[in-house]
Amino acid sequence: TKGYERDGRRNIWRYRDWLIKAFNADMPYDKFLTEQMAGDLLPNPTENQYIATAFHRNTMTNDEGGTDNEEFRTAAVLDRVNTTWETLMGTSFSCVQCHSYSYDPFRHDEYYKFLAFFNNTRDEDTYSEYPIWRHFDEKQKTELSKLSSWLSKKVSEKEKTELINFLQTLQPSHNSLKCDDFVNAELSDTKWLAMRNHSSARLKNVSLDGKRKLIMQYKDFAKGVFEIRLDKPQGKVLTKLIINKKEENKGWKTIELPLENVQGVHDIYFVYNSGTLDNPNASGIMFDWFYFTQGFPFGETPEYTVQKQSFWNLLNTQVENTPIMYENPQVFRRNTHVFERGSWLSPGKVVSAGVPASLGKLPPNSPNNRLGLAMWMTSKDNPLVARTMVNRVWEQLFGSGLVETLEDIGSQGAIPSNKELLDYLSYKFMHEYQWSVKTLIKEIMMSATYQQSSKVTKDGLEKDPSNRYLARGPRVRLSSEQIRDQALAVSGILNSEMYGPPVMPYQPEGIWSSPYSGDKWIKSENKQQYRRAIYTFWKRTSPYPSMISFDGVGREVCVSRRIRTNTPLQALVTLNDSVYVDISAKLAQRALNV
C-alpha cells in the first residue's frame, strides 16, 4: 500500500514478479541493479525495464488531505538515497543529511549531490502515482504496434517516440497539483486543481515551443467557459473550452484542444467562468494533468482517421498500471539544494549530481544521471556493491554475515569475522562469476564449511559460542515467510502457482481499519489463500499479523537486516492464529490419510 494515514492500495505486484523472474533466471547482478536504478534511461527501454524501476517507486505517498505534496515528494527522494546506500552498498550515508564532521569521509553537501541523481524524476506525490506504465493487453499491444509502424512513415522518429511514449506513460505531463496563485480556486484535497465561478490559477514555466495541442484530463460539474491565457489572467487567450450542457458526471474525461502558436517558456493562467453555477462554494471544473504537445499528425485521408481513432482508443482505455521512474525532460528539471541542518524548508546552495569524492568519480563517458550512477555502483573499481551482496548471501546461508551489520560494513559497523574471505568472494563475484548470484551461492554451499555438521560440541561451544567463526554448520531460524511456507508444505496444501496479484489468506477479524475507504480484508478463495507468503497482500499501517510476530517488518522504509527473536507471542501465534489452526487441521487430515 501507499503508507501514511490514508494508506490506500498500490498496484505494484508486477515489480515483485519481475524480481522473482530475475533471480530465477540468474540475471547478472550488475544488470539487475542497473535496471532497477535506471531502466527508464537505457536505450529503447522495454516494458520490463520500466517495471524494474518500481523498486524506487515503492516509497510511500501521502494521500491525506491538507498535506504538502512537495514535502512528501522530498521525503520519498531522501528514502531512495538512504535505501540505495544502506541496502545496496552497505554504507551508512543518511547521517550526513543534517551535518558532517571533519573526520567524516562523506561531507554534508555530498549527500545532496548524490540526492540530485534522484531529484529529477517526474513523481510528485500524486494520488494516481504518476508516472505510471500502462499495461495494455495483447490486442491493445498489437494496435499500438500498428500505430507505431504507421507513425514511422508519417513523422520523425522523435515525434513518433513521444506519441507512443505518452500512450504508455502519460508523460511528460504537468500535474495540476503544481498550480498556484489561486483566485477562487484551490487544490481539492491537495490532489487536483478545482475551480469555482470567476476563478483563475497559474501553472508556471510551461514550454510552448512547437506545442500546437493541449491534451488534458478533467471533470466538469456545470456549464461554463474554461480559458487558457498567456502570462496573466487577462493575457492572450491560447485556447478555450465551452461546456454547453451539464451531463451526469462519469469520471475523468480526456480531450484535445488547439493552441495558439507561441514560442518560449511562459507562465500560463487557467480562467473559469460559469453563468449557471449558483453555489459560490461549488466547483465547476477539476483537472488532473495537462500535456502540451505537437499533437497527432494532420491529415484528411481515411487511413489518417483510422489511426487517430486508434490513438484515442488507446489513450482512453482503462488499464492497470504500475508506478515507475521517469526522468524529467530539461524543461521540468529541478534545482537541487543543500538542506541546511537537513531541513527541506531551509534550502541552501544549489549543487549538481555527483558521488562522494572519497569514492572516486563516475566512469569515463558515463551520463551524469541515474544510469551513470548505476554504472559507477557496478564498476569493477567500486567494491561496495559486490561486498554488500556477498555479505548478504552469506548471512542468508549462515545466519550472520561475515560482517554482522549488513547495513554498515564500514568503520562504524561490526568487525569482519574473516575480511580476507569477504574480499576473495567479492572479487570472484565481480570478475570470475560475472555477477552470477547462483554461482556465488553454489560456491559457498559446496564448501566444507557449509557442509559440516551443525551438531554442537562442548569444545566448539566454549571456543565459538555464537558460531561467528563457524566451528559447526549453520542453524538458521526461519523467517516469517519461510515459517508459513513450511507449514503449508508439510500439510500438503501449498499452492505452487507463481506470479500475479496479491492474495489474502486467513486473517483474524478486526485487524484492518480503513476509515477513508472502508476497505476490507476478504479471504481469497480457490486455494489462493494457500499461496506462498511472498504473495500476501501487505498493508503498511496494518501488516499481516502472524508474520509480524515472527519478525516481519512494517515496510515504511526499506530494512536491510531483520533481527531474529524468540518470544512467547510466536508460540501463541502457531497455537491460536486462524492461519495455523487451519493448517494444523489440514496436517492432521493428511496424517490420517497416510
Side-chain angles (χ1 to χ4, degrees):
T1 52
K2 298 181 184 179
Y4 296 113
E5 186 201 21
R6 194 183 291 259
D7 200 22
R9 294 199 183 203
R10 169 176 284 162
N11 196 61
I12 202 168
W13 57 265
R14 285 179 176 83
Y15 167 69
R16 178 250 289 139
D17 286 3
W18 177 89
L19 205 65
I20 294 171
K21 292 173 183 176
F23 274 118
N24 284 347
D26 197 24
M27 179 185 288
Y29 191 61
D30 57 342
K31 181 183 178 185
F32 175 78
L33 288 192
T34 298
E35 293 195 2
Q36 292 178 90
M37 295 288 293
D40 59 307
L41 297 175
L42 293 169
N44 301 313
T46 64
E47 178 176 355
N48 282 336
Q49 287 169 337
Y50 271 109
I51 292 172
T53 66
F55 165 65
H56 270 315
R57 286 303 310 282
N58 214 14
T59 46
M60 295 194 291
T61 302
N62 198 336
D63 287 343
E64 184 185 357
T67 57
D68 189 311
N69 293 302
E70 178 62 14
E71 175 184 359
F72 289 98
R73 184 199 72 83
T74 301
V77 173
L78 293 170
D79 188 13
R80 289 166 196 165
V81 171
N82 299 339
T83 294
T84 298
W85 279 90
E86 184 178 311
T87 66
L88 303 182
M89 293 189 283
T91 305
S92 56
F93 194 57
S94 58
C95 49
V96 292
Q97 175 186 333
C98 300
H99 59 84
S100 57
Y101 295 101
S102 57
Y103 50 80
D104 278 335
F106 305 139
R107 313 307 304 157
H108 178 51
D109 62 345
E110 289 179 334
Y111 182 93
Y112 295 94
K113 289 180 180 179
F114 193 90
L115 181 142
F117 286 115
F118 295 95
N119 198 37
N120 267 303
T121 56
R122 282 299 307 125
D123 56 299
E124 293 176 329
D125 200 59
T126 61
Y127 178 77
S128 297
E129 306 225 82
Y130 303 127
I132 55 173
W133 182 268
R134 304 173 72 223
H135 298 286
F136 295 128
D137 61 25
E138 291 306 315
K139 182 179 178 181
Q140 291 160 342
K141 286 180 179 178
T142 300
E143 188 175 0
L144 182 67
S145 179
K146 290 179 179 178
L147 176 62
S148 178
S149 298
W150 182 83
L151 286 170
S152 295
K153 303 171 187 175
K154 303 296 181 182
V155 298
S156 68
E157 185 67 21
K158 179 176 181 291
E159 290 176 275
K160 182 204 80 170
T161 300
E162 287 176 357
L163 286 167
I164 297 301
N165 190 61
F166 174 67
L167 287 175
Q168 289 280 193
T169 66
L170 303 181
Q171 295 301 322
S173 298
H174 295 265
N175 296 313
S176 68
L177 56 76
K178 298 300 290 184
C179 290
D180 62 4
D181 198 14
F182 302 113
V183 175
N184 208 25
E186 191 52 87
L187 295 184
S188 175
D189 203 28
T190 63
K191 298 176 179 62
W192 310 282
L193 171 62
M195 305 186 73
R196 297 171 178 166
N197 196 10
H198 309 307
S199 60
S200 66
R202 177 180 65 176
L203 184 62
K204 295 193 294 185
N205 301 327
V206 177
S207 175
L208 296 174
D209 288 333
K211 310 303 184 187
R212 304 305 302 271
K213 302 286 186 181
L214 167 64
I215 299 175
M216 66 181 189
Q217 188 162 277
Y218 76 104
K219 293 179 182 179
D220 60 79
F221 308 103
K223 295 179 182 179
V225 178
F226 168 72
E227 297 174 327
I228 295 182
R229 292 179 175 266
L230 188 68
D231 293 326
K232 55 186 177 180
Q234 299 81 28
K236 176 182 177 181
V237 176
L238 299 181
T239 193
K240 179 186 294 188
L241 171 65
I242 299 175
I243 303 167
N244 287 318
K245 59 180 180 179
K246 174 68 175 73
E247 298 177 349
E248 180 184 354
N249 182 26
K250 296 181 180 179
W252 295 107
K253 305 172 186 177
T254 306
I255 64 165
E256 180 182 79
L257 297 174
L259 286 175
E260 290 290 324
N261 186 15
V262 175
Q263 299 302 307
V265 176
H266 295 266
D267 292 348
I268 62 172
Y269 281 80
F270 305 125
V271 178
Y272 175 76
N273 292 285
S274 172
T276 61
L277 200 59
D278 298 326
N279 185 346
N281 296 318
S283 296
I285 196 166
M286 182 184 292
F287 300 92
D288 192 9
W289 49 259
F290 307 93
Y291 176 59
F292 295 85
T293 176
Q294 292 175 297
F296 202 81
F298 179 76
E300 296 179 349
T301 65
E303 183 185 24
Y304 163 84
T305 303
V306 169
Q307 295 300 334
K308 186 166 186 179
Q309 186 59 51
S310 175
F311 175 88
W312 280 94
N313 287 343
L314 290 167
L315 181 57
N316 286 316
T317 189
Q318 299 298 310
V319 294
E320 286 194 23
N321 56 69
T322 298
I324 57 168
M325 297 285 268
Y326 190 101
E327 194 77 352
N328 276 331
Q330 185 61 38
V331 72
F332 285 87
R333 288 191 68 81
R334 302 183 184 95
N335 284 332
T336 298
H337 296 264
V338 174
F339 295 162
E340 301 295 342
R341 299 176 181 265
S343 171
W344 75 284
L345 293 173
S346 302
K349 68 178 181 180
V350 174
V351 293
S352 57
V355 298
S358 58
L359 296 177
K361 300 178 180 179
L362 294 183
N365 302 318
S366 61
N368 198 34
N369 56 22
R370 282 180 287 114
L371 181 58
L373 175 62
M375 294 168 66
W376 171 77
M377 288 176 61
T378 56
S379 166
K380 299 293 176 62
D381 295 327
N382 183 353
L384 287 176
V385 164
R387 288 168 65 85
T388 301
M389 188 56 177
V390 166
N391 197 45
R392 186 174 299 284
V393 169
W394 191 276
E395 188 265 354
Q396 289 286 299
L397 296 176
F398 287 96
S400 180
L402 289 166
V403 179
E404 184 179 1
T405 50
L406 301 187
E407 67 280 6
D408 189 352
I409 60 175
S411 61
Q412 300 302 303
I415 297 173
S417 59
N418 193 329
K419 180 180 179 297
E420 292 75 14
L421 179 58
L422 179 60
D423 292 342
Y424 169 78
L425 288 174
S426 300
Y427 182 88
K428 293 193 74 174
F429 182 43
M430 282 194 291
H431 292 84
E432 293 184 27
Y433 304 160
Q434 298 300 309
W435 298 98
S436 167
V437 176
K438 288 189 176 183
T439 303
L440 172 65
I441 292 172
K442 181 178 179 180
E443 172 85 359
I444 297 172
M445 295 184 72
M446 294 292 287
S447 68
T449 304
Y450 182 81
Q451 295 185 39
Q452 67 181 323
S453 170
S454 60
K455 184 177 180 180
V456 180
T457 65
K458 183 178 180 180
D459 184 53
L461 190 62
E462 288 179 356
K463 292 180 178 178
D464 190 11
S466 60
N467 204 34
R468 287 290 292 131
Y469 300 100
L470 304 173
R472 53 191 176 275
R475 288 179 174 180
V476 183
R477 189 182 299 275
L478 298 180
S479 68
S480 58
E481 292 87 352
Q482 291 169 327
I483 290 170
R484 173 180 165 79
D485 290 351
Q486 285 279 66
L488 291 170
V490 299
S491 302
I493 57 173
L494 178 66
N495 183 347
S496 59
E497 180 184 341
M498 296 179 70
Y499 314 126
V503 298
M504 294 183 175
Y506 284 110
Q507 177 172 282
E509 289 291 330
I511 297 295
W512 266 25
S513 177
S514 303
Y516 289 103
S517 63
D519 212 359
K520 301 292 184 184
W521 183 278
I522 301 174
K523 183 175 72 69
S524 299
E525 302 296 337
N526 301 321
K527 299 184 179 180
Q528 289 296 299
Q529 70 269 32
Y530 298 133
R531 294 187 68 186
R532 291 182 61 177
I534 196 171
Y535 298 104
T536 301
F537 188 96
W538 201 266
K539 188 177 178 72
R540 274 170 154 143
T541 56
S542 182
Y544 196 60
S546 63
M547 291 192 202
I548 289 295
S549 297
F550 284 100
D551 306 319
V553 292
R555 304 182 189 178
E556 287 88 354
V557 293
C558 193
V559 176
S560 53
R561 177 169 59 126
R562 291 188 188 179
I563 305 300
R564 296 180 178 91
T565 65
N566 186 4
T567 73
L569 284 177
Q570 294 166 353
L572 290 171
V573 166
T574 56
L575 289 169
N576 297 288
D577 190 282
S578 54
V579 173
Y580 290 97
V581 171
D582 174 59
I583 292 174
S584 57
K586 298 292 195 299
L587 176 61
Q589 188 62 49
R590 187 183 191 192
L592 289 173
N593 293 337
V594 171

